[in-house]
Amino acid sequence: MTYEVKSLNEECGVFGIWGHPQAAQVTYFGLHSLQHRGQEGAGILTNDEGKLKRHRSTGLLSEVFKNPADLEKLTGTAAIGHVRYATAGEASIDNIQPFHFKFYDNSFGLVHNGNLTNAQTLRRELESQGAIFSSTSDSEILAHLIRRSHHPEFLGKVKEALNTVKGGFAYLLMLEDKLIAALDPNGFRPLSIGRMKNGSWVVSSETCAFEVIGAEWVRDVNPGEIVIIDDDGITYDTYTTDTQLAICSMEYIYFARPDSTIHGVNVHTARKNAGRLLAQEFAHEADIVVGVPNSSLSAAMGFAEESGLPNEMGLVKNQYTQRTFIQPTQELREQGVRMKLSAVSGVVKDKRVVMIDDSIVRGTTSRRIVQLLKEAGAAEVHVAIASPPLKYPCFYGIDIQSRRELIAANHSVDEICDIIGADSLTYLSIDGLIESVGLETDAPNGGLCVAYFDGDYPTPLYDYEERYLQSLKEKTSFYSIKDKK
């Protein structure tokens, strides 16, 4: 079986609230702030005095709830919601969350951000024991493990299940009388707790959702932690002490919104720092700095300030186009780049341009943007990337599970420069990335997972081990140097 990566694909976004008379509406606004984390589907499940109600469908949040009645029928004072990008499982409504599990003695809802590295093994074991799955998503596995646990208390069942699953995960579970949040032992996925003025507790993948609903950030959920929220307040517990912070560095580089704060570090600030350090590692003459909108604009600011070059708007983004990774074929993705971006000839003509971008995955988008700038009259285009070369797959919740189409896994920096048609190519070093984020921790790599860049994974890969080892042997790329033009 082959695995194709089209671009950097977001993970998912989760949101939960307890103790608000308009829980569904607040959850809608929270999910709207997290829409960048997934555009394939969305859903909300509410708790109305112990009765769980749900609405979900494929598409953007506004499409899922285009009929106001769909939101109005979700009555209750507590809710969980989800926006989905498929990291595991097919893009069908059966895989759209929240999941709702009904049993003779209770019921609960579940949402999940991340990817389980032992999902295949667990699913086979569960199915061999008679479990019946209603989806192909690995998120459903936790519910089966909870239900099959022999622990007398529900919280004990949850802890036992959390110690069984491996990989990256942020879970929210809605019960009839409580909301439970849990984070994996490495904290790969971000998860934060906030509180509204009326006393309602909220949990979100990113803090940007707090601003829109008027909530105040309280703290982040820690690795290996389980949080219980009910009518009596909030309780913090742990399900394991074998923890080591290794938050996904791509959250700071690309995924998270710039107005979010993760473990005390503002994302915009981290990206700006990355641009500043990238300028220190850059060794070419240039006239202007141009950031690729929107995720690279912060890095472009830092680069311009450090280098003393003017930061110009040489690329303009059409805000009404979908992200190119959604397009199913390479031809459509390349057409999507032209629809999404336009080069401003009056800005770049006859200029030596430093084009700042957050990453290069396949190289096709970078090649097209370089071409746009040169067609607009740029004398030179020097590409500077505010992250290290992306050489290794991710198995914790980002849709990169093969080295086969990662251009940096198959070509040197000089070859990539030649392929994308740039006059030079500079990547930020791994040390520069770690310094740019600057988490206050003694954890390895500054508390970041940088396995995408150095291949040093912070956990065993379990079901993915064989696939990963096979990918190391592959030297297959959609590019060859001779056909780059």
Side-chain angles (χ1 to χ4, degrees), residues 17 19-26 74-78 198 200:
I17 184 169
H20 196 286
Q22 294 180 305
Q25 287 77 8
V26 174
L74 297 178
T75 55
T77 59
N198 74 334
S200 302

mmCIF file of all heavy atoms in Angstrom, residues 17 19-26 74-78 198 200:
data_model
loop_
_atom_site.group_PDB
_atom_site.id
_atom_site.type_symbol
_atom_site.label_atom_id
_atom_site.label_comp_id
_atom_site.label_asym_id
_atom_site.label_seq_id
_atom_site.Cartn_x
_atom_site.Cartn_y
_atom_site.Cartn_z
ATOM 1 N N ILE A 17 -17.820 22.664 26.811
ATOM 2 C CA ILE A 17 -18.282 23.653 27.785
ATOM 3 C C ILE A 17 -19.213 22.985 28.778
ATOM 4 O O ILE A 17 -19.964 22.063 28.426
ATOM 5 C CB ILE A 17 -18.989 24.839 27.072
ATOM 6 C CG1 ILE A 17 -19.380 25.912 28.084
ATOM 7 C CG2 ILE A 17 -20.185 24.368 26.263
ATOM 8 C CD1 ILE A 17 -19.831 27.208 27.462
ATOM 9 N N GLY A 19 -21.977 24.122 31.952
ATOM 10 C CA GLY A 19 -22.644 25.098 32.798
ATOM 11 C C GLY A 19 -23.039 26.390 32.127
ATOM 12 O O GLY A 19 -22.939 27.466 32.726
ATOM 13 N N HIS A 20 -23.525 26.312 30.885
ATOM 14 C CA HIS A 20 -23.956 27.521 30.185
ATOM 15 C C HIS A 20 -25.329 27.280 29.563
ATOM 16 O O HIS A 20 -25.549 26.257 28.897
ATOM 17 C CB HIS A 20 -22.959 27.907 29.092
ATOM 18 C CG HIS A 20 -23.122 29.307 28.598
ATOM 19 N ND1 HIS A 20 -24.166 29.694 27.776
ATOM 20 C CD2 HIS A 20 -22.381 30.431 28.810
ATOM 21 C CE1 HIS A 20 -24.064 30.982 27.510
ATOM 22 N NE2 HIS A 20 -22.988 31.446 28.119
ATOM 23 N N PRO A 21 -26.285 28.203 29.726
ATOM 24 C CA PRO A 21 -27.641 27.974 29.205
ATOM 25 C C PRO A 21 -27.710 27.888 27.683
ATOM 26 O O PRO A 21 -28.680 27.348 27.142
ATOM 27 C CB PRO A 21 -28.425 29.186 29.720
ATOM 28 C CG PRO A 21 -27.394 30.231 30.024
ATOM 29 C CD PRO A 21 -26.181 29.473 30.460
ATOM 30 N N GLN A 22 -26.714 28.431 26.991
ATOM 31 C CA GLN A 22 -26.658 28.349 25.530
ATOM 32 C C GLN A 22 -25.382 27.613 25.105
ATOM 33 O O GLN A 22 -24.588 28.106 24.301
ATOM 34 C CB GLN A 22 -26.708 29.745 24.913
ATOM 35 C CG GLN A 22 -28.036 30.464 25.155
ATOM 36 C CD GLN A 22 -28.052 31.839 24.527
ATOM 37 O OE1 GLN A 22 -27.178 32.662 24.791
ATOM 38 N NE2 GLN A 22 -29.053 32.084 23.690
ATOM 39 N N ALA A 23 -25.221 26.431 25.628
ATOM 40 C CA ALA A 23 -23.986 25.670 25.427
ATOM 41 C C ALA A 23 -23.726 25.395 23.947
ATOM 42 O O ALA A 23 -22.586 25.495 23.482
ATOM 43 C CB ALA A 23 -24.044 24.363 26.208
ATOM 44 N N ALA A 24 -24.762 25.033 23.200
ATOM 45 C CA ALA A 24 -24.567 24.708 21.789
ATOM 46 C C ALA A 24 -24.104 25.923 20.997
ATOM 47 O O ALA A 24 -23.209 25.826 20.153
ATOM 48 C CB ALA A 24 -25.860 24.156 21.189
ATOM 49 N N GLN A 25 -24.712 27.081 21.272
ATOM 50 C CA GLN A 25 -24.329 28.289 20.556
ATOM 51 C C GLN A 25 -22.901 28.702 20.877
ATOM 52 O O GLN A 25 -22.142 29.102 19.984
ATOM 53 C CB GLN A 25 -25.303 29.428 20.900
ATOM 54 C CG GLN A 25 -26.686 29.287 20.279
ATOM 55 C CD GLN A 25 -27.579 28.264 20.979
ATOM 56 O OE1 GLN A 25 -27.220 27.747 22.048
ATOM 57 N NE2 GLN A 25 -28.721 27.961 20.386
ATOM 58 N N VAL A 26 -22.520 28.606 22.139
ATOM 59 C CA VAL A 26 -21.151 28.939 22.528
ATOM 60 C C VAL A 26 -20.172 27.970 21.867
ATOM 61 O O VAL A 26 -19.105 28.369 21.374
ATOM 62 C CB VAL A 26 -20.994 28.905 24.063
ATOM 63 C CG1 VAL A 26 -19.525 29.111 24.455
ATOM 64 C CG2 VAL A 26 -21.861 29.972 24.715
ATOM 65 N N LEU A 74 -30.400 21.617 19.745
ATOM 66 C CA LEU A 74 -29.381 21.103 20.672
ATOM 67 C C LEU A 74 -29.451 21.877 21.981
ATOM 68 O O LEU A 74 -28.589 22.679 22.323
ATOM 69 C CB LEU A 74 -27.994 21.224 20.034
ATOM 70 C CG LEU A 74 -27.763 20.393 18.761
ATOM 71 C CD1 LEU A 74 -26.377 20.647 18.203
ATOM 72 C CD2 LEU A 74 -27.957 18.909 19.034
ATOM 73 N N THR A 75 -30.491 21.625 22.732
ATOM 74 C CA THR A 75 -30.672 22.287 24.019
ATOM 75 C C THR A 75 -29.804 21.636 25.085
ATOM 76 O O THR A 75 -29.361 20.497 24.948
ATOM 77 C CB THR A 75 -32.143 22.231 24.436
ATOM 78 O OG1 THR A 75 -32.561 20.854 24.437
ATOM 79 C CG2 THR A 75 -33.013 23.021 23.468
ATOM 80 N N GLY A 76 -29.547 22.387 26.150
ATOM 81 C CA GLY A 76 -28.752 21.857 27.250
ATOM 82 C C GLY A 76 -27.726 22.847 27.726
ATOM 83 O O GLY A 76 -27.458 23.866 27.078
ATOM 84 N N THR A 77 -27.136 22.556 28.872
ATOM 85 C CA THR A 77 -26.179 23.470 29.498
ATOM 86 C C THR A 77 -24.739 22.993 29.395
ATOM 87 O O THR A 77 -23.846 23.585 30.005
ATOM 88 C CB THR A 77 -26.543 23.672 30.978
ATOM 89 O OG1 THR A 77 -26.527 22.388 31.638
ATOM 90 C CG2 THR A 77 -27.916 24.307 31.132
ATOM 91 N N ALA A 78 -24.509 21.936 28.642
ATOM 92 C CA ALA A 78 -23.147 21.445 28.434
ATOM 93 C C ALA A 78 -23.055 20.899 27.019
ATOM 94 O O ALA A 78 -24.052 20.444 26.445
ATOM 95 C CB ALA A 78 -22.784 20.361 29.447
ATOM 96 N N ASN A 198 -19.752 33.909 33.576
ATOM 97 C CA ASN A 198 -20.852 33.312 34.337
ATOM 98 C C ASN A 198 -20.416 32.082 35.121
ATOM 99 O O ASN A 198 -21.238 31.423 35.760
ATOM 100 C CB ASN A 198 -22.005 32.951 33.397
ATOM 101 C CG ASN A 198 -21.706 31.729 32.540
ATOM 102 O OD1 ASN A 198 -20.546 31.419 32.268
ATOM 103 N ND2 ASN A 198 -22.749 31.030 32.122
ATOM 104 N N SER A 200 -18.966 29.349 33.722
ATOM 105 C CA SER A 200 -18.889 28.151 32.880
ATOM 106 C C SER A 200 -17.434 27.798 32.589
ATOM 107 O O SER A 200 -16.606 28.669 32.307
ATOM 108 C CB SER A 200 -19.616 28.385 31.554
ATOM 109 O OG SER A 200 -20.957 28.730 31.771
#
